[in-house]
Amino acid sequence: MFFKKAQEEVPLEDKKESAEPLLHQNAPRRPYDFVLVSEKDEEDVEKTQKEKAFIKELNKKKIHVVELSHDDKKTFYGLRAPEEKFEDYRYLLKVSDSCNGEDVSVTLATRIRIVNSILNETKINTGEGTEGLEDLMNDGVFETMFCLHERTEQKKLEGNWARWTAVFMKQPYDDIQKYFGEKVALYYLWLGWYTTLLIPAAVLGVVVFLYALAFFNTSPLIKEVCDSNITMCPRCEKRCPPWNLSDTCTYAKVSHLFDNEGTVAFAIFMAIWATLFLELWRRERAEYVSRWKVYDWSEEEEELILEIVNDSECKAKVFQHSFKRSTLVLVMVTIMLMVIIGLAHALVVFRVVAAPLLSESRWEFMRDNANVVAVMLGAVLHYFTIQIMTVVNRKVSLKLCELEKPNSFAAKEKSFTVKMFTFQFFTLFSSLFYVAFFLGRINGHPGNYARIAGHRLEECHPSGCLTDLFIQMAIIMMLKQVINNIVEFIGPWLKNCWRKRATKKLRRKCGHCYRSACRDENGCVEPCDVCKIAEWLKNYQLADSDCFSLFNEFLEMVLQFSFTTIFVAAFPLAPLLALINNIFEIRLDAIKMVRLERRLVPKKTNTIGIWTMVLEAVGVLAVIANGLVIGITSDFIPRLVYRYVYGPCARGVTDTHCMSGYINSTLTTAYMLDNNPDEFVPPNQRHLFNVTECSFRDFRSEEDHSLTLHFWLVVAARFAFVILFEHVVLVFKFIAAWFVPNHSLRVKNERLQNKLDRLKKELKGRKRTKYKFKSTEV
């Protein structure tokens, strides 16, 4: 036998019998609730003393500890809490306001949650104060801790959920709740509901795209660009030559696919869709939490009960607030947001500098499409910035939460979620907001160009600015979904393979189990040391999982929800990409949690928490952003103004298309004699071009480049549309929220009937007790 059992760390047999009731003949013993792992280092006396002190504290709490060591390298501690801890939990939960007197059962998932709370609240005294398990793990006293997978339930979930062939099967939410707890189950319930409601949004997005494709070759705007002989002003100085508008025929066609009348209706639909999604989600959540009997569950009471179970003499953690700390946190958050906005500014500088450099490239494609390539390279750089800042944002958010000193884990989790999402949102959307609302609007005009880092700011194409936003969104969204999913799956798989290889020698020395060796003196099925260590090693070699595992999944999906709704007017195919991603994301996360990672500590809850408020905020922001995108970024309003005020139809001409001449009306001619010639053609290239005038995109007078009446009419129409759009859509949102109740009638009636039955039962029990008491007196 290669494994030796440490007798001094295990409670005496009489203590074990008092802690755990005797089981029936041949009954399987309850599995161990947790396993602690430590590296043996006899030279580090302080570390060994802390390790023994912690195990001793667990023994004082009547935690049954089994120590198995191997070759003086690793020590595994199997932890099993006494039944009295769980009985205390059941009683306190029954008398709490959350359960209203209903009896509750203690499942293995609940046991793991209770023992996890006890472990995290257990502290040892050192010369410098007290240290908890987290401190000991940071100091290297313990390597890791984990709860064990249940092989039977694990195989069941693998068969009907955690496999690729179950992609289009309904998720077993009840089984997930029993195994991983309500928090994980509600995440998959929300993700499944979100994916289901993406189907109509994706279908309509494809219809809008096909509508634009149907009029692809007949649009007069595209013909005007492709057949034009207009010479456009250089995009930059010293390197960029003048260019013909017809050279960008392909760009104009792509712009029409994503900037047309259909996107307005689609943006209104998505704003209402976001509201209906949240309202219908509340109904779906109510049905399941009512079924799981956690509808009235209170997070605050749950934490108090766990504290009492751990220490019956504990004191309440009082609420604390410090204006100094709050001010410091506010200042730090502001500084962090300024840094993130500064990074977006750096991306703008990159594109401004890259475009002229690409204009003198040896490749013709690069020269002809310098601005588009610069935008694409900026989007790729933006993606890598997001990946780096995700790590930075997490560390900063944790430090700020420590400064706030919240009184509970729930409060800390909420605070961390808000800060992390805010930082990530600004990281992802700062550059997109610049492209949507500032690109091409602050660049100036010939003779008075705006500059940054010595270079002229970017300009929009005569067909509009929406295509730049589409390119930026499409690249970031596709890179995030594809690369993140690959890394998300490959990471745990590689860790699993590496740890299997590292523990191969350990597993080879485990020996073979003979069933008779797994029975104790009472005939109960108690795994022998060989079986225990084999099972523990199997769980030990899996990838780590912690409280951030589920948070990362939520953050990823909520940010995707933001992408899908906020700038959907610029990218109607975003819901389709999100739908395809989520279909595989559900199974990928399931396989990762069930097969590749250690078991998550089950958490109890009846809602997705602060994420609901985040989703509501994103829904409101989506209305505002889409109204601004349609009113300001797209050419929808200038086209309407031209059609009904300046176009041929407005002048009574009936033999031509109403939008004929629109592109030319958006251009202003600049003459070389009236401006700096170097801004048109570089001196060293002037002999190559016979250019005395060129055009640029703006509503300005050709004489003095002052803004024309056309410009101010378009501006007024833009703002009028934004205000009208937002008010109309918000009214629709409020009507939809009122029209769809948060709870279905079936759930309300079932809860009412359950309360009635419980009260009748309590009354009957009281009368029965009263009758027995009177009979005893007689």
Side-chain angles (χ1 to χ4, degrees), residues 45 61 129 152 182 282 311 313 334 406 458 464 697 700 720 750:
V45 180
K61 296 182 178 182
T152 304
E182 289 80 5
R282 290 188 176 97
D311 181 11
E313 302 298 327
T334 305
E458 305 163 277
R697 188 175 192 264
R700 291 182 178 274
E750 284 180 358

Side-chain angles (χ1 to χ4, degrees), residues 122 172 174 220 253 425 445 501 504 636-637 701 711 764:
T122 301
D174 293 332
K253 293 179 179 179
F425 184 87
H445 58 83
R501 185 177 179 182
K504 192 172 183 180
F636 175 71
I637 298 301
S701 169
F711 170 83
K764 289 179 180 179

Side-chain angles (χ1 to χ4, degrees), residues 37-142:
V37 183
S38 67
E39 289 274 359
K40 278 201 167 185
D41 187 3
E42 296 180 355
E43 296 181 358
D44 194 337
V45 180
E46 183 181 0
K47 173 185 170 183
T48 305
Q49 288 177 346
K50 288 182 178 181
E51 184 179 329
K52 291 183 177 180
F54 188 80
I55 299 300
K56 188 176 180 180
E57 287 296 322
L58 294 179
N59 284 333
K60 288 180 181 179
K61 296 182 178 182
K62 298 182 180 180
I63 301 294
H64 178 65
V65 183
V66 170
E67 177 185 342
L68 296 175
S69 57
H70 173 267
D71 286 351
D72 298 327
K73 288 184 178 180
K74 291 187 185 295
T75 303
F76 291 81
Y77 295 98
L79 311 178
R80 183 188 287 155
E83 287 294 332
E84 64 183 61
K85 294 287 186 183
F86 307 122
E87 291 300 324
D88 292 344
Y89 175 83
R90 284 186 61 195
Y91 174 77
L92 291 172
L93 197 61
K94 183 178 179 180
V95 300
S96 67
D97 296 335
S98 302
C99 289
N100 297 317
E102 291 186 14
D103 198 7
V104 291
S105 59
V106 179
T107 62
L108 182 58
T110 305
R111 293 172 184 270
I112 292 173
R113 186 171 69 253
I114 295 171
V115 175
N116 179 67
S117 175
I118 294 174
L119 288 174
N120 288 319
E121 291 297 327
T122 301
K123 301 184 184 298
I124 62 172
N125 290 318
T126 61
E128 300 177 355
T130 59
E131 290 188 17
L133 181 57
E134 185 178 353
D135 301 319
L136 296 176
M137 292 177 68
N138 292 334
D139 294 340
V141 176
F142 292 103

Side-chain angles (χ1 to χ4, degrees), residues 372-510:
V372 178
V373 175
V375 171
M376 295 176 70
L377 290 176
V380 174
L381 183 61
H382 187 193
Y383 169 76
F384 287 109
T385 304
I386 291 169
Q387 299 303 108
I388 296 171
M389 287 304 297
T390 298
V391 179
V392 177
N393 292 341
R394 184 187 302 277
K395 293 182 178 180
V396 172
S397 300
L398 285 172
K399 288 294 183 183
L400 292 177
C401 288
E402 292 176 5
L403 283 176
E404 286 182 326
K405 295 182 179 180
N407 73 316
S408 65
F409 176 79
K412 182 178 180 181
E413 187 178 32
K414 290 178 182 177
S415 177
F416 174 78
T417 300
V418 171
K419 292 176 177 59
M420 184 65 184
F421 176 80
T422 303
F423 293 153
Q424 285 295 94
F425 184 87
F426 271 79
T427 303
L428 264 70
F429 286 94
S430 293
S431 180
L432 293 177
F433 272 95
Y434 165 77
V435 173
F437 306 125
F438 296 99
L439 177 64
R441 289 169 179 80
I442 55 175
N443 56 299
H445 58 83
N448 188 24
Y449 280 117
R451 290 176 170 79
I452 185 171
H455 296 272
R456 276 170 44 187
L457 289 178
E458 305 163 277
E459 298 179 10
C460 289
H461 187 270
S463 298
C465 303
L466 207 62
T467 305
D468 294 309
L469 181 60
F470 152 71
I471 293 173
Q472 190 95 348
M473 284 188 62
I475 292 177
I476 293 174
M477 192 171 185
M478 293 182 70
L479 285 177
K480 272 184 64 63
Q481 291 187 165
V482 175
I483 296 179
N484 283 14
N485 283 342
I486 293 174
V487 172
E488 190 177 328
F489 184 79
I490 294 295
W493 182 78
L494 290 176
K495 288 180 182 178
N496 198 357
C497 293
W498 175 258
R499 285 182 175 173
K500 275 185 178 179
R501 185 177 179 182
T503 58
K504 192 172 183 180
K505 293 182 179 179
L506 292 175
R507 287 185 280 111
R508 214 169 23 233
K509 295 181 179 181
C510 285

Side-chain angles (χ1 to χ4, degrees), residues 457-571:
L457 289 178
E458 305 163 277
E459 298 179 10
C460 289
H461 187 270
S463 298
C465 303
L466 207 62
T467 305
D468 294 309
L469 181 60
F470 152 71
I471 293 173
Q472 190 95 348
M473 284 188 62
I475 292 177
I476 293 174
M477 192 171 185
M478 293 182 70
L479 285 177
K480 272 184 64 63
Q481 291 187 165
V482 175
I483 296 179
N484 283 14
N485 283 342
I486 293 174
V487 172
E488 190 177 328
F489 184 79
I490 294 295
W493 182 78
L494 290 176
K495 288 180 182 178
N496 198 357
C497 293
W498 175 258
R499 285 182 175 173
K500 275 185 178 179
R501 185 177 179 182
T503 58
K504 192 172 183 180
K505 293 182 179 179
L506 292 175
R507 287 185 280 111
R508 214 169 23 233
K509 295 181 179 181
C510 285
H512 298 282
C513 171
Y514 301 96
R515 296 306 301 171
S516 59
C518 287
R519 294 180 180 274
D520 62 10
E521 63 275 11
N522 297 316
C524 297
V525 181
E526 171 70 13
C528 64
D529 293 349
V530 173
C531 291
K532 289 174 186 173
I533 201 66
E535 183 67 18
W536 297 352
L537 280 172
K538 186 178 179 181
N539 284 266
Y540 171 74
Q541 71 190 14
L542 299 176
D544 297 327
S545 63
D546 52 28
C547 59
F548 288 116
S549 299
L550 191 62
F551 171 83
N552 293 335
E553 305 299 339
F554 253 123
L555 180 63
E556 179 185 354
M557 288 296 102
V558 173
L559 287 173
Q560 185 209 81
F561 178 82
S562 304
F563 260 93
T564 307
T565 54
I566 289 181
F567 288 124
V568 73
F571 192 20

Side-chain angles (χ1 to χ4, degrees), residues 635-680:
D635 268 13
F636 175 71
I637 298 301
R639 289 170 189 168
L640 284 182
V641 172
Y642 181 80
R643 176 187 289 269
Y644 295 109
V645 179
Y646 296 100
C649 296
R651 299 195 303 267
V653 180
T654 59
D655 58 347
T656 185
H657 196 281
C658 293
M659 296 303 296
S660 179
Y662 168 74
I663 296 296
N664 192 48
S665 72
T666 63
L667 302 177
T668 301
T669 302
Y671 297 96
M672 183 178 292
L673 296 177
D674 299 332
N675 299 280
N676 182 7
D678 293 346
E679 292 186 348
F680 295 93

Side-chain angles (χ1 to χ4, degrees), residues 15-22 29-30 64 80-83:
K15 290 184 179 179
K16 185 174 72 174
E17 289 179 0
S18 64
E20 298 186 26
L22 186 63
R29 282 194 181 272
R30 182 164 51 81
H64 178 65
R80 183 188 287 155
E83 287 294 332

